Amino acid sequence: MNRWSALAVLLALAGALALRVPNLANRPLHNDEAVNAVKVDELWQHGRYAYDPDEYHGPALHYATLPFLWLNGARDADHLDDATLRYAPVAFGVGLILLLLLFADGLGRHALAWAALFIAVSPAMVFYSRYFIHEMSLVFYTALTLGAGWRYAQSRRGFSLSPQRGEGRGEGWEVLEARLNSESQRPHHPSPSIPLPVEGRGKPDARWALLAGAGLGLMFATKETFVITLGAMGLAGIITALWRAEPAAGSRWNQLTAWIPNWRHCALALSATAIIWLLFFSSFFTNFGGLADSFLTYLPWLKRAGGHSPHIHPWSFYLERLAWFHPKKSPVWSEGLILVLAVVGAGVSLLGKKSALHRFLALYTIILTALYSLISYKTPWCLLNFFHGMILLAGVGAVALVEFFRARPMRMAAAVVLLGLTAQLTAQAWRASFVFPADRRNPYVYAQTVPDFTNLVHKIEGIAAIAPAGHATVVKVIAPGGDYWPLPWYLRRFKQIGWYDQLPADPYAPIIVVGAKFDARLDEKSDKKWIMAGYSELRPGVFLELYVELDLWKKYVATLPRERD
């Protein structure tokens, strides 16, 4: 990288932080975030974590969150704010920009700078970097695995692909091309279109193999869907290798086997994967049942992927949100710039004289996009997995469009136009995260907790403040199918609280929260000894009723400020 490319990356980092860090608590926790919060609190406060293979994802995010809780200085979960929980995904989202450096010689310094900019300001990348769920960490570990794998492949070749004379085709590429051209009269010479390994020129660096294996282990320990990404990696790698090989007799096999890693390094990488799997899923040797559960989890998840889930959507679900999303009374949302540039980048990567990395990324992204689109089970944050590949290709596409023009003034004009279009992505990222952070008109908001829900929490806290038992007051929360999250996190201060998925024989307690679908009418059934004190929307289509013992309610109302006449 030269100083201008380095400056571009630094500016992208600054922009990424500016969009991700401020006002992280500007929306209540999503129910998935609250589940993660309760589990990480158990790990933080009591050192206990047990992987659940049915409804939950891997443990890596919870352990990665611990340092931020330690640095926060909070004594316990009662004094912990929502923003602190979201620092870990912020770190992963910003870290994606730093991981681009692993691809610098293959992508090219200009493509790297554009990709860094797109990661920094993409509305999807920004929004889910402020979300305490597993997806951003999964994308980070995927990028780490790919980057370390690329670095290992480069260490085997014995030459650099540093892009100093054209994007993605550095001096090493040109030296090899010249050598191959000078030997063009020899039979079965390799095609110079893509650099091939030069036997004896390089010594494989085992450290990169070790890091790639560790990255794969962390993917495994983060989320079950890593197998989809792993499948796309493997298939793209095989196709890339076959694409590169010459069909001449006696040469194809040798060329293909030249790309097979040293078996010792494969063992080293797999050992790193296995060690991380062992540590995280056994909860550091405290729950060995988690090792078997890490494989058994695919039974319930396969059912969901096949359609046994409320999150079933058509194949176009992800692309519609990225390309053009315009519900009623809403501004237009589109990351079409990145999509178009990704198509251009994939085209020049597959059809032009680009490095193996370009072709691999194009194939990997196409395959991964197709797999996620074909699976019926869809939640919008899953698009990050293939969208990261699209952003890398968009960097390649941006360079291709700028270099399409021969005259320097035209190239500068093209770059300015692209920067102007990128500015509208920045505006959308701000709008999504700060203006519409919990609004259903935002394409990345999904089953989000309604902001007004916090009024219910404040009311319950206010009642506890005047109740004789305080936070030891008995509370019963009753909702169909246990659909009361994120209440367990927000009512974590209450020590005598019960959770029910159907109306118990005795539903009464000083404070009762009941799902509206039950039509409980506890005020009428108690002969007005309890009063219905509120009706709140938890998330779209899910409503809760608050009942309070009448005398306790009267005491609470007496503490409220009186309205002036």
Side-chain angles (χ1 to χ4, degrees), residues 114-284:
W114 281 108
L117 178 61
F118 295 145
I119 289 175
V121 305
S122 158
M125 286 289 177
V126 172
F127 189 80
Y128 291 125
S129 291
R130 299 166 56 87
Y131 225 82
F132 185 48
I133 56 174
H134 295 70
E135 219 65 37
M136 192 56 66
S137 57
L138 177 61
V139 175
F140 177 88
Y141 294 134
T142 300
L144 176 64
T145 304
L146 290 172
W150 170 248
R151 295 261 49 84
Y152 176 78
Q154 290 302 89
S155 73
R156 298 183 69 229
R157 295 176 185 157
F159 59 82
S160 171
L161 291 180
S162 178
Q164 298 176 15
R165 296 187 186 179
E167 292 303 318
R169 299 179 58 191
E171 289 181 348
W173 195 98
E174 293 177 352
V175 169
L176 179 62
E177 185 176 39
R179 185 176 73 81
L180 290 170
N181 284 334
S182 68
E183 299 177 356
S184 60
Q185 299 304 315
R186 298 183 184 183
H188 312 312
H189 65 278
S191 168
S193 61
I194 300 176
L196 297 175
V198 182
E199 186 176 354
R201 293 286 299 279
K203 183 179 180 180
D205 192 333
R207 293 172 297 182
W208 291 117
L210 184 66
L211 185 59
L216 181 59
L218 288 166
M219 289 171 63
F220 191 170
T222 298
K223 194 176 179 183
E224 300 75 16
T225 51
F226 93 99
V227 296
I228 304 173
T229 302
L230 185 61
M233 285 182 188
L235 188 55
I238 292 171
I239 297 174
T240 301
L242 291 172
W243 194 320
R244 297 166 56 86
E246 280 290 312
S251 65
R252 181 187 291 269
W253 176 250
N254 291 334
Q255 292 177 45
L256 288 176
T257 55
W259 290 90
I260 298 176
N262 181 299
W263 72 267
R264 292 184 180 86
H265 294 168
C266 284
L268 184 65
L270 291 176
S271 296
T273 302
I275 289 171
I276 289 177
W277 164 78
L278 173 64
L279 291 175
F280 280 98
F281 282 105
S282 72
S283 302
F284 289 83

Side-chain angles (χ1 to χ4, degrees), residues 435-452:
V435 182
F436 293 83
D439 196 304
R440 280 175 281 179
R441 292 172 292 176
N442 180 337
Y444 305 118
V445 166
Y446 185 78
Q448 172 60 43
T449 306
V450 175
D452 187 59

